Amino acid sequence: MEKTIVATPLLPTDRLEPIDGWGMAVQSMGYVYRPSTIDGIREVFRLAQNHRRPVVLRGSGRSYGDAALKGEAIVLDLTRFCRILAWDPQTGIVTAEAGLTLGDLWQYVVGDGWWPPVVSGTMHPTLGGAAGANIHGKNNYRMGPIGEHILAFDLLTPAGDILRCSRDENADVFHAAIGGFGMLGCFLHITLQLKKVYSGDLEVRPISCASLREIMTVMARRAPETDYIVGWVDCFAKGEALGRGIIHEADYLHEGDDPVPAQTLRLEHQSLPDTFLGFLPKSMLWMGLKVWLHDLGMRFVNWAKYVAGRIQTKPYRQSHAGYHFLLDYVPNWKRAYLPGGLIQYQSFVPKEKALEVFTYQIETARRWKLPAYLGVLKRHRPDPFLLSHAVDGFSFALDFRVTRRNRERLWQLAADLNRAVVAAGGRFYLAKDATLDAQSFQASLSAESFERFRALKDRLDPEGILQSAAMKRLGLI
């Protein structure tokens, strides 16, 4: 249970800042500290104990919801704690501080022929945030989440102790802190095994599918034969075309397949372009997106994307960064969703029930007159982490625009969708979540998992210093 902390109002007011979830739909105020050393992090914990304030851990703030928010708490921002401590270009093993971003990591190692084994749709999460959320990518069915490639980490508890954790040392903490959203301690140093690549390009193949059933059938058949696979879904289409969309699968190039690997592995080849059509600054594109950000406009955008996908069917080569980081192509694109912001609803459902549940989600959202503006489908496999969101099945991520008028109904819609997910034995991704209730979340995981996590919480953080709005909402603390 959450520990009650009676706060004293003695913190400096110049530290008090407004903090948003990345989707801008949830906010809070917090006392923000940005230490750059371990001693600095320890000092923040001492400050929290002296002033009886909870601490919420925050990386680069890429969680859509309230995973890194807590009203009137001390916010421990780790973005300055971001050095690479050791790198071996022969083995691909890297050790870095938890505030290093995925972007800084791949830019450092790609010239040596290595790539992070698991990345999200944006390069901006920190390693600590990625480990805390146990992020997945377009290859989860093959490579699992990022936690499966973490060899070891150092965890600082609120008491100031440092635990060395691996699969052989403090293994229970290892499998709980990864995916534990910062509730057991603060990641300090993370050692990660990277993936050897022989080219800076991937071989990408688009596949047009006429329905959600076809997308899922093709993904299930193709996944064992390809390194990455992801499906874009048109959530406006109806009838036999419901859930139509485009699959993009991609494979690594083998040694010798790329005639100029030294060129494609250069940072310049990976960098995303700054302009659109060669002259329009991408930093301005979000303003144009705002014109289309309504039901009629997004219906047209989804239709146009599907038609273009039916035409563009030839395989092509694309840089690793270009394929993976679609969310970074248009800087600040989320501003198009202002003033209300956006939420993303992502559920994971076993393969036997996934088509039924995701069809229900599309139809129910449309029936509530709250259609999803973007749908993304991925294939997954189970993993050994205590609070894992993954199942042997599929995930479906749905983006919804939040407005003053629809906010309450959106949360009600999410509750309706939750019931179908739980009934099918599904789970939820807390890094994206802003709406999930404690009953649905706890019903999605075993009672044993909850009890084991709470026992570790009581052992490592007996005073309940580490908190967040999301973990309180979900009844995990």
Side-chain angles (χ1 to χ4, degrees):
M1 298 297 292
E2 181 189 10
K3 303 293 192 303
T4 301
I5 296 179
V6 180
T8 57
L10 301 177
L11 290 169
T13 56
D14 66 335
R15 295 281 185 174
L16 192 61
E17 300 178 17
I19 307 294
D20 286 345
W22 190 82
M24 307 174 297
V26 289
Q27 304 84 24
S28 70
M29 298 290 290
Y31 294 91
V32 182
Y33 288 79
R34 299 179 175 88
S36 61
T37 65
I38 295 175
D39 286 342
I41 298 172
R42 279 198 174 103
E43 181 59 33
V44 172
F45 279 140
R46 284 194 291 268
L47 187 73
Q49 291 162 344
N50 291 340
H51 291 271
R52 305 297 295 167
R53 291 273 179 177
V55 173
V56 59
L57 301 183
R58 186 175 178 88
S60 54
R62 306 304 287 196
S63 293
Y64 280 57
D66 53 0
L69 302 180
K70 176 75 174 177
E72 298 295 312
I74 291 175
V75 179
L76 180 50
D77 182 323
L78 293 171
T79 51
R80 294 179 62 224
F81 191 66
C82 57
R83 290 165 282 261
I84 291 177
L85 304 176
W87 166 236
D88 187 340
Q90 301 303 314
T91 64
I93 295 176
V94 64
T95 299
E97 292 173 336
L100 187 80
T101 67
L102 294 177
D104 289 335
L105 174 61
W106 75 255
Q107 290 175 39
Y108 189 86
V109 303
V110 70
D112 290 323
W114 297 89
W115 186 260
V118 174
V119 295
S120 51
T122 169
M123 68 179 79
H124 298 300
T126 61
L127 282 182
N134 203 13
I135 64 166
H136 59 271
K138 301 176 182 70
N139 57 352
N140 186 263
Y141 59 93
R142 173 165 291 196
M143 300 292 282
I146 197 169
E148 293 201 25
H149 308 278
I150 294 176
L151 303 181
F153 58 80
D154 294 326
L155 191 77
L156 180 69
T157 69
D161 301 321
I162 297 179
L163 295 182
R164 182 67 172 172
C165 301
S166 68
R167 289 167 181 80
D168 301 315
E169 186 176 4
N170 293 309
D172 55 345
V173 179
F174 180 88
H175 288 95
I178 294 174
F181 285 85
M183 293 298 100
L184 301 182
C186 176
F187 289 112
L188 296 176
H189 311 136
I190 296 176
T191 299
L192 185 67
Q193 174 65 64
L194 303 186
K195 167 72 178 177
K196 181 65 178 175
V197 294
Y198 297 97
S199 170
D201 285 341
L202 296 166
E203 186 77 18
V204 182
R205 292 174 297 278
I207 304 172
S208 175
C209 298
S211 67
L212 182 63
R213 180 183 294 276
E214 184 179 351
I215 291 179
M216 297 181 73
T217 299
V218 173
M219 288 183 71
R221 184 180 72 245
R222 294 292 303 157
E225 304 172 13
T226 191
D227 292 317
Y228 298 97
I229 195 165
V230 63
W232 162 81
V233 176
D234 178 1
C235 295
F236 285 88
K238 300 179 181 180
E240 294 183 359
L242 183 142
R244 67 187 179 186
I246 310 295
I247 291 171
H248 286 91
E249 61 177 34
D251 285 322
Y252 296 111
L253 299 184
H254 299 293
E255 191 170 11
D257 289 347
D258 184 350
V260 289
Q263 299 300 315
T264 59
L265 287 168
R266 291 181 64 199
L267 190 57
E268 292 81 358
H269 180 74
Q270 297 295 322
S271 298
L272 302 181
D274 295 325
T275 59
F276 180 68
L277 299 177
F279 68 92
L280 183 64
K282 282 193 170 181
S283 59
M284 299 174 60
L285 288 185
W286 69 269
M287 302 176 193
L289 292 177
K290 196 172 184 68
V291 175
W292 299 94
L293 210 65
H294 49 81
D295 289 1
L296 184 60
M298 293 307 296
R299 180 185 298 276
F300 174 78
V301 168
N302 276 264
W303 171 83
K305 183 175 175 66
Y306 178 70
V307 170
R310 298 277 292 180
I311 298 170
Q312 299 167 356
T313 59
K314 293 183 178 180
Y316 57 92
R317 290 187 177 181
Q318 187 176 20
S319 70
H320 292 274
Y323 178 77
H324 288 295
F325 304 129
L326 293 178
L327 294 178
D328 299 331
Y329 263 85
V330 179
N332 298 315
W333 61 267
K334 66 176 184 175
R335 291 183 182 175
Y337 282 86
L338 288 172
L342 75 153
I343 61 170
Q344 187 175 101
Y345 180 93
Q346 186 169 13
S347 57
F348 295 67
V349 178
K351 57 182 183 292
E352 296 82 5
K353 293 285 188 177
L355 177 60
E356 175 186 344
V357 172
F358 297 156
T359 298
Y360 176 80
Q361 291 179 355
I362 294 173
E363 292 179 335
T364 301
R366 192 164 55 236
R367 187 170 64 250
W368 284 55
K369 301 188 185 309
L370 294 168
Y373 286 0
L374 174 67
V376 177
L377 193 72
K378 298 191 188 87
R379 183 72 171 91
H380 297 271
R381 74 177 192 194
D383 60 65
F385 298 96
L386 190 59
L387 298 182
S388 176
H389 50 270
V391 298
D392 181 9
F394 294 83
S395 73
F396 197 27
L398 301 171
D399 282 9
F400 295 96
R401 183 183 185 183
V402 180
T403 69
R404 180 180 56 81
R405 296 180 61 182
N406 78 3
R407 185 183 180 95
E408 184 176 350
R409 288 194 303 123
L410 264 180
W411 265 247
Q412 293 171 350
L413 170 63
D416 188 334
L417 303 184
N418 292 345
R419 288 187 282 271
V421 172
V422 171
R427 296 180 181 177
F428 305 93
Y429 189 38
L430 305 185
K432 303 287 184 68
D433 174 64
T435 66
L436 188 63
D437 62 277
Q439 182 178 359
S440 297
F441 175 57
Q442 293 176 27
S444 71
L445 293 177
S446 70
E448 180 188 3
S449 296
F450 270 88
E451 291 308 312
R452 286 170 59 192
F453 189 86
R454 284 171 169 159
L456 286 170
K457 175 72 171 174
D458 288 341
R459 188 180 104 202
L460 300 177
D461 184 20
E463 296 182 24
I465 294 294
L466 292 167
Q467 299 185 19
S468 75
M471 295 304 105
K472 180 179 180 181
R473 170 168 54 85
L474 298 172
L476 201 57
I477 58 172

